[in-house]
Amino acid sequence: MKIKIYIKILILLLCVGQGNITAQNETSDNIPKLKNPVTAQYLSKNLRKSQPRLVLNSSIERDLKNKIKTDPVVKNMYAAVKLNAQGIYNKPLLERIVTGRRLLSVSREMLYRVNMLGMVYVIEKDPQVLRRLNDEVVAVCNFTDWNPSHYLDVAEMAMAVALALDWTAGKLPKQTIALAENALIEKGIKPSWPANGRNPSWAYGNNNWNQVCNGGMIAASIAIAEKDPVLASKTISRALDGLPHSLVEYMPDGVYPEGSTYWDYGTSFSVVTIAMLESAFGTDFGHTNYPAFKESAVFRVLANAPSGWYYNFADCGDRRGVNGDAVLAWFATKTGNKAFFEKDRFLMPVNQMSKLDRLDGASLVWISQYKEKDDIKVPAAWKGEGANPVVIFKSDENDPRQYYFGGKGGRGTVNHGNMDGGSFVFELNGVRWVVDPGNQGYNELERTGFDLWGKCQDCQRWTLLTKNNFGHSTLTVNDQLHIVDGLATIKEFKTGENPEAVIDMTPTFKGQLAKAERKFTKDSPISLLIEDNIETSESTRLITWQLITTSDVELVKGGAILSNGDKKLKIENLSHPTLSMSVVSLYPAPLELDRQMEGLKRIELRIPAWTVKNKNDKIRIRLSAL
């Protein structure tokens, strides 16, 4: 299976054109490229002259206004935008308040305000809205800078100011337009071109920073293209060369390595960037059809568990909100697939919605363009290869038992990754019995001097329960950390009524075990079988099987019983019935800086290596509803 996937990728790479190569040869890696004809001359010939031209243009605006009158979903979502816009008037103008090392919360609030107020102005041309937009733009453009030491802050602010200029289409005061254009150049774009001539790391990086920062620079460059076409063209050209280095991370199957909420972040900026390019140039330069990008919508849908939790691996948030998924709706518009369009959530009474997302003004455009063509259900058993491979088994959405399993490979060195290879989450009857401890606030850790982002074997990140293997439902050997760069991969996968997946964890335990393979099987509609095939080495002293839960635990002969209200789950120790399980309380967590999760505990089965016959052992544990 894995060989076929690699052959498929190789053929794909050989078939893709070479594209442009920058002077620094930044894009010489053998990955699919975007088309990149952008020069100052190209801008002069091909960039739409009239505004708006970012996400909107005259024809898109006309169609949107018509849909607000005729389409119940678009009408309701526009009402939500108006409600959110109304709430902005009572808020003070933004100030340059840096939290830790970030201005990001201010930049995001500005992007939110422009999306809400700007879209209302596009539709209604209300002078009151225009005045408030003017005040907002003047306030942030008078900041001393947009915090270029943390470029996400600059990118989101630049996109906000660019959209404000564009959606008001020349109706802001001339002095405001001049102020904003100058700020976009001096505080937005120019800091991305360091004096040493080297590109910033995000420009060709392989994570969400690439998508967000290049998207912000594209928006700013289109906004000032007539004022400085040379700067605009070289910035857009760099972005088109750099973006594939983040897009390739979706390959080959659409898994976003950083988890579902980071899919939302990175992908939201990708789709708004596509919308801007299409409206401004009439092309997205091959972005939409980049390999596995559209397929990532399946990953996003499957990462939503029946309980309302995400499959929250990596630095992912815990739960989704109540609002409809506007980023996913872009994929519905591009594919026509009903499975990606959350109509019921979009039709929710607006006073029951939570605060809209900061790009939900722009998203109204592609929501209005949706036309159902297909109703292709997402698979009940799915696997996604890549830098952080995952496998998911689920029941039909109408099954009252609400079966959900998510398991993974991967390694700690992946972006926003953890030492969680072989770990899993499990839900049944609406209860998440096996949990991932998820993410925790960055600023709270960073302000203490904690090194959250180091990826070496002994780096400080791995002292946290949310990041190391001691906080995940996996194996631990000799009470040691996983090998940080040991990549666990999906070795086998089978669909059907009883799907199976085998994860090769041998690299995870390099120097600790000779071999480790973990097999997950949905052996009935109410149970999950976990089998670990182990081969010890001379250094193996202890093998610990772990399950992380917040449920109540009762240790019984041959296993344990988990309880949550009137619901119960049985843990059966099928392979080592003479060895008793034990429970380690993780609340409070071992470190003060750890995330504190009420009721968190680790169930362990500890197997001394001396009990293993002929160096080979199989651990078999079954989870089933009672």
Side-chain angles (χ1 to χ4, degrees):
M1 178 70 71
K2 200 186 304 181
I3 292 173
K4 289 181 180 179
I5 290 168
Y6 290 147
I7 291 174
K8 178 181 177 182
I9 296 172
L10 181 59
I11 292 171
L12 176 64
L13 296 176
L14 292 172
C15 291
V16 173
Q18 291 302 305
N20 288 10
I21 298 177
T22 68
Q24 290 179 255
N25 204 31
E26 298 272 11
T27 60
S28 60
D29 294 350
N30 190 22
I31 62 174
K33 310 293 196 299
L34 298 178
K35 297 174 185 177
N36 189 0
V38 176
T39 61
Q41 292 76 18
Y42 181 90
L43 288 188
S44 177
K45 182 179 179 180
N46 294 280
L47 178 62
R48 178 182 287 270
K49 303 298 187 290
S50 62
Q51 294 176 318
R53 59 188 181 187
L54 292 177
V55 182
L56 290 157
N57 57 38
S58 56
S59 61
I60 293 173
E61 181 180 334
R62 183 173 58 251
D63 291 343
L64 175 58
K65 289 178 177 177
N66 182 58
K67 282 294 185 71
I68 289 172
K69 297 175 182 176
T70 61
D71 187 309
V73 168
V74 182
K75 181 178 181 179
N76 197 59
M77 287 307 298
Y78 178 63
V81 169
K82 285 190 69 174
L83 182 63
N84 277 249
Q86 193 62 40
I88 295 170
Y89 292 108
N90 296 324
K91 296 180 179 180
L93 295 175
L94 295 169
E95 299 178 22
R96 191 185 181 280
I97 300 173
V98 178
T99 304
R101 62 191 184 100
R102 296 172 175 85
L103 185 67
L104 192 53
S105 60
V106 177
S107 299
R108 288 175 170 175
E109 177 64 17
M110 180 60 177
L111 188 53
Y112 164 77
R113 293 184 182 188
V114 169
N115 263 261
M116 301 302 115
L117 294 168
M119 185 52 67
V120 173
Y121 181 76
V122 166
I123 301 303
E124 302 186 12
K125 303 297 188 289
D126 184 340
Q128 180 190 13
V129 179
L130 184 65
R131 286 192 295 270
R132 180 62 189 227
L133 277 169
N134 178 71
D135 293 345
E136 297 283 0
V137 170
V138 169
V140 300
C141 289
N142 279 317
F143 287 2
T144 53
D145 61 42
W146 292 340
N147 200 36
S149 63
H150 191 258
Y151 224 83
L152 292 176
D153 312 9
V154 178
E156 297 214 25
M157 187 70 80
M159 182 174 287
V161 173
L163 289 175
L165 280 179
D166 186 76
W167 289 1
T168 53
K171 298 301 182 182
L172 289 171
K174 289 183 179 180
Q175 61 268 34
T176 299
I177 294 174
L179 175 69
E181 288 179 341
N182 185 67
L184 287 172
I185 292 171
E186 299 298 332
K187 298 169 185 177
I189 302 173
K190 281 188 176 179
S192 77
W193 293 98
N196 63 14
R198 296 195 60 82
N199 284 307
S201 59
W202 54 258
Y204 294 85
N206 64 352
N207 61 10
N208 64 79
W209 280 60
N210 181 325
Q211 297 162 280
V212 177
C213 295
N214 276 316
M217 293 303 96
I218 287 173
S221 297
I222 293 173
I224 59 91
E226 286 78 13
K227 185 177 180 68
D228 194 336
V230 173
L231 179 63
S233 62
K234 77 171 187 176
T235 303
I236 295 171
S237 180
R238 179 186 63 186
L240 293 177
D241 279 344
L243 281 165
H245 291 262
S246 61
L247 297 176
V248 74
E249 292 297 303
Y250 292 85
M251 291 176 63
D253 300 316
V255 174
Y256 199 73
E258 303 170 34
S260 186
T261 49
Y262 273 102
W263 176 94
D264 183 60
Y265 186 33
T267 307
S268 68
F269 277 82
S270 281
V271 301
V272 79
T273 297
I274 291 170
M276 291 188 300
L277 293 172
E278 288 176 333
S279 58
F281 294 103
T283 177
D284 69 355
F285 302 99
H287 202 143
T288 297
N289 291 318
Y290 198 89
F293 183 69
K294 284 193 291 190
E295 287 77 2
S296 74
V298 175
F299 163 73
R300 173 65 166 180
V301 172
L302 288 173
N304 294 328
S307 64
W309 284 67
Y310 290 118
Y311 176 18
N312 59 328
F313 68 88
D315 283 344
C316 180
D318 291 340
R319 293 176 176 272
R320 68 162 300 173
V322 298
N323 294 355
D325 192 330
V327 181
L328 191 63
W330 180 90
F331 291 85
T333 294
K334 292 297 182 180
T335 64
N337 192 351
K338 182 180 177 182
F340 305 148
F341 196 78
E342 297 183 331
K343 183 176 180 179
D344 290 346
R345 290 178 183 257
F346 292 138
L347 287 172
M348 182 190 313
V350 296
N351 59 359
Q352 294 179 20
M353 293 183 185
S354 61
K355 178 181 177 181
L356 294 185
D357 187 79
R358 61 190 179 280
L359 289 173
D360 277 352
S363 72
L364 192 64
V365 170
W366 56 76
I367 288 173
S368 73
Q369 295 168 339
Y370 170 67
K371 295 180 180 179
E372 182 181 336
K373 298 176 184 175
D374 295 300
D375 185 10
I376 303 172
K377 295 187 181 301
V378 296
W382 182 83
K383 61 106 176 165
E385 302 275 8
N388 214 0
V390 301
V391 59
I392 293 171
F393 308 153
K394 61 183 286 291
S395 58
D396 183 83
E397 59 185 15
N398 297 318
D399 186 340
R401 293 167 291 201
Q402 299 179 308
Y403 188 107
Y404 185 89
F405 156 81
K408 69 183 298 295
R411 56 184 165 188
T413 53
V414 72
N415 291 315
H416 288 278
N418 300 322
M419 290 181 171
D420 59 359
S423 69
F424 67 102
V425 300
F426 184 58
E427 292 186 6
L428 200 62
N429 296 321
V431 176
R432 177 153 296 191
W433 299 103
V434 183
V435 306
D436 187 299
N439 197 14
Q440 57 192 108
Y442 302 152
N443 183 59
E444 289 77 3
L445 293 165
E446 291 171 343
R447 69 185 180 186
T448 69
F450 189 91
D451 179 13
L452 182 59
W453 305 110
K455 296 180 180 180
C456 66
Q457 182 65 43
D458 299 319
C459 280
Q460 203 170 9
R461 179 179 178 90
W462 314 123
T463 63
L464 295 174
L465 202 64
T466 54
K467 315 303 178 192
N468 63 37
N469 44 288
F470 304 113
H472 291 87
S473 299
T474 183
L475 297 176
T476 291
V477 178
N478 299 339
D479 290 325
Q480 295 178 347
L481 293 170
H482 283 183
I483 302 304
V484 70
D485 60 351
L487 177 61
T489 56
I490 300 173
K491 181 180 180 181
E492 299 175 19
F493 177 74
K494 188 182 81 171
T495 61
E497 186 176 343
N498 301 111
E500 302 174 356
V502 177
I503 296 177
D504 183 3
M505 300 174 63
T506 304
T508 308
F509 300 108
K510 184 179 180 181
Q512 301 172 9
L513 292 173
K515 178 182 177 181
E517 291 183 355
R518 168 161 278 198
K519 182 178 181 180
F520 297 106
T521 305
K522 181 184 178 182
D523 61 337
S524 84
I526 58 169
S527 62
L528 173 71
L529 179 65
I530 306 108
E531 299 174 286
D532 291 296
N533 288 301
I534 304 296
E535 183 180 335
T536 62
S537 67
E538 295 302 323
S539 62
T540 309
R541 300 187 305 277
L542 177 69
I543 303 159
T544 304
W545 187 96
Q546 302 171 178
L547 184 145
I548 310 298
T549 187
T550 54
S551 298
D552 294 331
V553 180
E554 177 189 359
L555 296 177
V556 298
K557 184 176 181 180
I561 303 294
L562 303 186
S563 300
N564 191 304
D566 61 351
K567 297 173 183 176
K568 297 182 183 295
L569 186 82
K570 183 179 182 181
I571 304 176
E572 295 179 87
N573 176 5
L574 301 175
S575 58
H576 296 73
T578 59
L579 295 179
S580 297
M581 290 184 165
S582 57
V583 180
V584 178
S585 174
L586 300 176
Y587 181 71
L591 300 180
E592 184 179 357
L593 288 176
D594 273 320
R595 181 182 184 184
Q596 304 298 322
M597 298 180 65
E598 186 174 356
L600 191 69
K601 52 190 72 73
R602 182 174 63 237
I603 298 175
E604 297 183 341
L605 178 65
R606 297 170 72 85
I607 304 171
W610 65 265
T611 66
V612 176
K613 306 298 183 183
N614 300 318
K615 294 189 175 183
N616 287 280
D617 201 3
K618 177 179 281 192
I619 306 170
R620 299 179 72 245
I621 308 288
R622 188 171 188 259
L623 313 181
S624 59
L626 276 178

